[in-house]
Amino acid sequence: MAGRYHQDQGGDGGASMEVVSTPNQELALTNCAYVSPADLRRFPNGLALVADAWVFTLRDHNAVASGRIALNAIQRRQAKVSAGDSVTVSSFVPPDDFKLALLTLDLDYAKARANRNDELDAVVLAQQLRKRFLNQVMTSGQRVPFEFYGTNYVFTVNQALLEGQESSTPLDRGFLSSDTYIIFEAAPNSGIKVINQKEAASSKLFKHKEFNLEKLGIGGLSAEFTDIFRRAFASRVFPPHVVSKLGIKHVKGILLYGPPGTGKTLMARQIGKLLNGKDPKIVNGPEVLSKFVGETEKNVRDLFADAENEQRTRGDQSDLHVIIFDEIDAICKSRGSTRDGTGVHDSIVNQLLTKIDGVEALNNVLLIGMTNRKDLLDEALLRPGRLEVHIEINLPDENGRLQILQIHTNKMKENSFLSPDINLQELGTLRQGSRESLATQNQIPSSPM
Ligand SMILES: Nc1ncnc2c1ncn2[C@@H]1O[C@H](COP(=O)(O)OP(=O)(O)O)[C@@H](O)[C@H]1O
Ligand SMILES: [Mg+2]
């Protein structure tokens, strides 16, 4: 985390200063570091890189002797020093374009206290923090104590994204500006409840822990799910003005592919239960195909009609429309590859492409295609801007097999149909081919699936 590219360019080349504690409690809540008036002059920007890791705004204070730097308890802990130790301090020169577009902050109490139960209004809190810490540098991982309506809290910077920086670049630091967008998160057991945070309400979905896939009857796919959400949904939580500042282009399409029977269709049916917004539209390739001329194209057009209407009427404010296309290979085979001479496939592929990648492309659509036969798909469909994120849904590993077995034997177990000597753990270690022998051995029906 230590100043990866915003290096110290101070003339002093990182002087060593003696650490003391902050002169008083009030100053401990400013997130500033304090030095003597004479020392302050050595920092032309008023910014110091401390312990090669954290950037603090410096202020002068008469109670701090020259050669010393006053840090609050949290700053000292993060710099891994105690009062009396020495620490390297150098002048920090901010690069150009150093304004933060977005900060996500984890909230906690400064002191753990039982039975706390506070509702924090995200809008009011964001306003106050922007004002209080205006033009201070925030670094990901940094912990900052603050006071809010008489209670002391600490926030930890989770993400710090600069304007013009895509979400995929490494997290780093920047200036908190008057229009930095702040998203708050609080652990469910923290006792803190964040209210009035409509725009980011769905960010909960992206936390790995939060998906209860087992409850949805999906086993062994949590890594894949996390990948899907990180790559396809994460950018959608941010409000439009933040998205345009970050320069994010939403992913419009993803492709889930892999061998048959690995749970793709199952995921298609369950994904809606994880989304906060509208229910996804789910169709499957063969069902959309029609033997009547032009009918298939119309079916495809109809799929997008709601999204089109909403984009027209609500523009940037439109909700996300998720369209799941199971067995997409049935209608999106390589153009020219079919011999029926009707060119139906060609025009369907074109139709899909105009909706997600054309001049009048929809920005409020996420198309999720699923297939067992990625090799059959029209290449054009898989390029960037189209079904660009490809996620392989493969055969489950041992842990996945165990989860799947548990899911499918749960009911039997509840109703005592599962003999107690069946060891799912052990079954999970077996691979293909060994199933039959075990089935006879343990007298279980050969495939519950
Ligand atoms: N990961 C999984 N977790 C739980 N059940 C699964 C899983 N994968 C497959 N199954 C079971 O197998 C059935 C067939 O899977 P399906 O989703 O149709 O596979 P695909 O669409 O990938 O060919 C599912 O309905 C489910 O009962
Ligand atoms: Mg399927």
Side-chain angles (χ1 to χ4, degrees):
M1 202 134 307
R4 267 192 299 272
Y5 49 86
H6 308 134
Q7 304 233 308
D8 111 63
Q9 292 154 18
D12 54 315
S16 168
M17 296 179 89
E18 185 190 335
V19 176
V20 292
S21 46
T22 315
N24 64 54
Q25 180 57 30
E26 197 181 318
L27 299 182
L29 293 169
T30 60
N31 191 43
C32 295
Y34 294 83
V35 293
S36 72
D39 281 345
L40 185 61
R41 280 179 229 123
R42 297 194 295 116
F43 296 87
N45 300 298
L47 295 172
L49 179 69
V50 173
D52 294 322
W54 312 107
V55 178
F56 300 122
T57 294
L58 287 179
R59 292 207 189 133
D60 57 351
H61 199 281
N62 287 322
V64 183
S66 285
R68 293 183 173 169
I69 182 166
L71 301 175
N72 70 34
I74 288 180
Q75 291 168 334
R76 293 197 301 273
R77 192 173 314 146
Q78 289 213 285
K80 301 196 176 74
V81 289
S82 303
D85 290 349
S86 58
V87 68
T88 53
V89 181
S90 46
S91 176
F92 179 81
V93 182
D96 297 338
D97 305 323
F98 201 47
K99 266 168 62 174
L100 288 171
L102 174 105
L103 268 180
T104 46
L105 305 179
D106 286 339
L107 298 175
D108 208 343
Y109 291 106
K111 291 200 181 80
R113 260 180 269 188
N115 302 325
R116 290 308 300 241
N117 196 353
D118 285 319
E119 286 193 342
L120 304 192
D121 184 307
V123 174
V124 179
L125 180 57
Q127 262 165 10
Q128 290 203 10
L129 293 181
R130 277 192 294 258
K131 210 160 129 199
R132 204 168 315 162
F133 301 119
L134 187 67
N135 295 331
Q136 291 202 21
V137 175
M138 295 293 160
T139 302
S140 67
Q142 184 171 0
R143 288 165 55 74
V144 178
F146 65 97
E147 182 266 348
F148 190 58
Y149 292 121
T151 302
N152 289 348
Y153 301 88
V154 180
F155 67 72
T156 307
V157 178
N158 201 339
Q159 271 182 300
L161 300 184
L162 294 176
E163 293 184 5
Q165 175 183 5
E166 282 206 44
S167 57
S168 55
T169 47
L171 307 176
D172 203 55
R173 55 167 65 114
F175 285 129
L176 181 53
S177 85
S178 52
D179 41 38
T180 298
Y181 185 76
I182 306 181
I183 292 176
F184 298 102
E185 291 176 345
N189 55 359
S190 65
I192 297 175
K193 195 172 161 215
V194 180
I195 58 165
N196 203 9
Q197 187 167 233
K198 193 167 130 258
E199 288 166 316
S202 50
S203 72
K204 285 222 165 52
L205 245 70
F206 313 121
K207 286 240 159 109
H208 180 102
K209 304 185 224 90
E210 309 272 342
F211 308 132
N212 193 341
L213 294 183
E214 196 136 359
K215 220 183 202 159
L216 296 178
I218 303 173
L221 290 173
S222 63
E224 286 79 358
F225 252 90
T226 307
D227 215 22
I228 294 171
F229 276 80
R230 189 175 55 79
R231 293 167 72 180
F233 290 95
S235 67
R236 302 270 179 184
V237 259
F238 310 140
H241 63 276
V242 174
V243 168
S244 59
K245 264 195 203 147
L246 287 169
I248 293 174
K249 277 181 90 186
H250 290 310
V251 166
K252 302 278 192 62
I254 63 183
L255 180 74
L256 306 185
Y257 67 98
T262 45
K264 295 180 293 299
T265 299
L266 180 66
M267 278 165 102
R269 289 199 303 259
Q270 300 291 51
I271 260 176
K273 299 193 179 142
L274 295 169
L275 298 176
N276 268 335
K278 295 186 160 47
D279 281 339
K281 283 207 168 71
I282 308 174
V283 289
N284 95 340
E287 159 197 307
V288 168
L289 265 187
S290 163
K291 60 181 188 292
F292 299 108
V293 178
E295 193 70 16
T296 311
E297 287 88 335
K298 180 175 177 304
N299 291 342
V300 170
R301 264 199 311 279
D302 288 351
L303 267 182
F304 290 89
D306 286 345
E308 256 162 6
N309 279 334
E310 199 177 343
Q311 176 137 316
R312 204 176 310 118
T313 54
R314 296 183 62 209
D316 274 353
Q317 302 299 318
S318 169
D319 285 337
L320 177 64
H321 294 248
V322 178
I323 298 174
I324 300 176
F325 223 121
D326 202 2
E327 301 181 45
I328 196 169
D329 48 282
I331 64 156
C332 291
K333 293 207 176 76
S334 300
R335 282 174 282 191
S337 69
T338 44
R339 280 161 191 275
D340 57 9
T342 58
V344 167
H345 289 291
D346 300 23
S347 59
I348 299 166
V349 174
N350 287 335
Q351 187 113 54
L352 278 174
L353 292 183
T354 32
K355 297 296 181 205
I356 59 175
D357 192 32
V359 190
E360 291 176 48
L362 296 164
N363 204 25
N364 59 346
V365 161
L366 175 68
L367 179 64
I368 305 181
M370 311 204 171
T371 182
N372 302 333
R373 297 296 308 272
K374 186 183 178 195
D375 57 305
L376 291 183
L377 292 182
D378 192 317
E379 293 253 340
L381 196 66
L382 304 179
R383 290 201 202 113
R386 302 167 176 184
L387 294 182
E388 59 184 310
V389 174
H390 303 171
I391 294 171
E392 186 169 10
I393 308 293
N394 227 320
L395 295 174
D397 60 10
E398 186 176 325
N399 202 5
R401 290 195 293 269
L402 176 63
Q403 281 184 23
I404 295 171
L405 285 167
Q406 274 162 348
I407 287 167
H408 289 277
T409 53
N410 237 344
K411 273 265 137 50
M412 298 182 216
K413 203 162 158 192
E414 270 171 32
N415 297 307
S416 319
F417 281 122
L418 198 65
S419 151
D421 62 356
I422 290 181
N423 184 344
L424 293 182
Q425 211 97 35
E426 190 190 320
L427 283 170
T429 63
L430 301 175
R431 312 233 6 219
Q432 255 178 4
S434 38
R435 190 172 28 172
E436 292 78 8
S437 60
L438 203 105
T440 37
Q441 198 181 316
N442 278 337
Q443 318 283 302
I444 57 165
S446 72
S447 171
M449 287 174 233

